[in-house]
Amino acid sequence: MPNKKSAERRVRIAERNRLYNKQWTSRCKTAVKKMLASADANDIEAAKNNFNIAQSVIDKAVVKGVMHKNTATRRKKLMAKHLKALTA
């Protein structure tokens, strides 16, 4: 347990930030999984729609500082690769 008032405050802030980051990380993973699931089901329209939604969610996570921009780019590249294979 922290002994100082500032340390107690940092513990509270760290917990709040952990929950916020967990929420956004989960949201990103869910969006990517939905897109990949629709691509595996060979549903082109749903895959395109879910691709746009997932890109938006990932970009918002980057702006909020939850995800690094290179990680976001890598995930979007993975989804684009699946979408391209589906349409080809």
Side-chain angles (χ1 to χ4, degrees), residues 31 50-60 76 79-80:
N50 289 334
F51 178 70
N52 291 333
I53 292 170
Q55 270 190 324
S56 175
V57 170
I58 289 172
D59 288 338
K60 286 177 185 174
K76 290 192 286 186
M79 292 188 303

